């Protein structure tokens, strides 16, 4: 079944966790309005790329700001569930297929030190600055320079710039 999302993600539920010794955990209160910032590719743009003067340096970036209301999770079983959900999501996307079943006992040992929470999303907005304010030929110079760089951050930023063409 495909879940339908509203255009601003209102009503979505996000899960997360922190180490309980993290000062952010101590500051978090159920019912607090929070802003979660997810950053995507970003990179410095040197004025030399523009091949013209005057020019100024800038930064290209992508980000999503998610607004919501946080609820701390007190139950150890629910916290364990958040940890397991996190492992499943990251293993599926970034891992190598690790099977956590033999580590659940270890998870149960460390879960009292984990502060889990949920955020009920009230809205979200994406934003980006990818040289779209520049003329197409200048934007292409920036994209090409990013794509040729050794720095992974620059190469990653070139990819969404390609979609603006």
């Amino acid at each position: 079944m495909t879940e339908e999302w509203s255009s601003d993600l209102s009503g979505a539920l996000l899960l997360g966790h922190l180490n309980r010794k993290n000062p952010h955990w101590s500051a978090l209160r159920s019912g607090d309005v929070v802003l979660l910032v997810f950053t995507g590719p970003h990179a410095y743009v040197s004025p030399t790329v523009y091949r013209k003067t005057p020019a100024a340096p800038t930064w290209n970036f992508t980000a999503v700001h998610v607004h919501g209301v946080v609820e701390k999770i007190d139950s150890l079983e629910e916290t364990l569930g958040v940890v397991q959900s996190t492992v499943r999501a990251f293993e599926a996307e970034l891992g190598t297929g690790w099977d956590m079943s033999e580590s659940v006992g270890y998870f149960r040992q460390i879960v009292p030190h984990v502060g889990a929470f949920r955020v009920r999303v009230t809205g979200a907005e994406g934003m980006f600055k990818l040289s779209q304010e520049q003329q197409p030929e200048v934007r292409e110079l920036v994209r090409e320079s990013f794509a040729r760089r050794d720095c992974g951050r620059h190469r990653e930023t070139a990819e969404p710039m390609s979609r603006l063409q």
Side-chain angles (χ1 to χ4, degrees):
M1 177 179 197
T2 304
E3 189 170 336
E4 294 294 322
W5 296 86
S6 65
S7 60
D8 70 352
L9 302 180
S10 294
L13 190 64
L14 300 177
L15 299 174
H17 65 275
L18 300 164
N19 185 308
R20 286 183 179 264
K21 290 184 180 179
N22 184 321
H24 293 286
W25 176 253
S26 299
L28 208 56
R29 302 279 181 262
S30 288
D32 282 353
V33 174
V34 295
L35 171 65
L36 306 174
V37 179
F38 298 91
T39 58
H42 59 96
Y44 174 74
V45 182
S46 172
T48 60
V49 174
Y50 300 139
R51 299 184 186 162
K52 65 179 184 175
T53 57
T58 190
W59 202 275
N60 279 3
F61 67 90
T62 58
V64 176
H65 289 184
V66 177
H67 306 269
V69 178
V70 71
E71 177 189 353
K72 288 172 112 173
I73 296 172
D74 294 323
S75 161
L76 292 179
E77 282 303 308
E78 278 187 85
T79 298
L80 177 62
V82 169
V83 170
Q84 290 173 307
S85 292
T86 303
V87 170
R88 276 191 294 278
F90 283 117
E91 270 302 311
E93 182 76 20
L94 304 168
T96 57
W98 177 65
D99 179 359
M100 75 176 108
S101 60
E102 292 184 24
S103 294
V104 172
Y106 175 67
F107 287 3
R108 287 188 186 284
Q109 290 174 17
I110 63 173
V111 90
H113 306 287
V114 175
F117 60 91
R118 60 179 66 87
V119 174
R120 177 71 59 189
V121 176
T122 58
E125 60 272 340
M127 57 196 69
F128 64 92
K129 184 192 160 304
L130 296 171
S131 297
Q132 70 268 27
E133 78 284 4
Q134 298 290 339
Q135 294 298 316
E137 59 275 4
V138 174
R139 188 171 52 247
E140 182 58 17
L141 287 171
V142 174
R143 191 201 63 72
E144 285 176 0
S145 76
F146 280 8
R148 288 191 311 266
R149 297 281 298 269
D150 288 336
C151 173
R153 177 182 9 239
H154 283 85
R155 288 192 316 273
E156 289 170 7
T157 306
E159 194 277 322
M161 291 181 74
S162 298
R163 290 184 258 152
L164 290 177
Q165 306 296 318

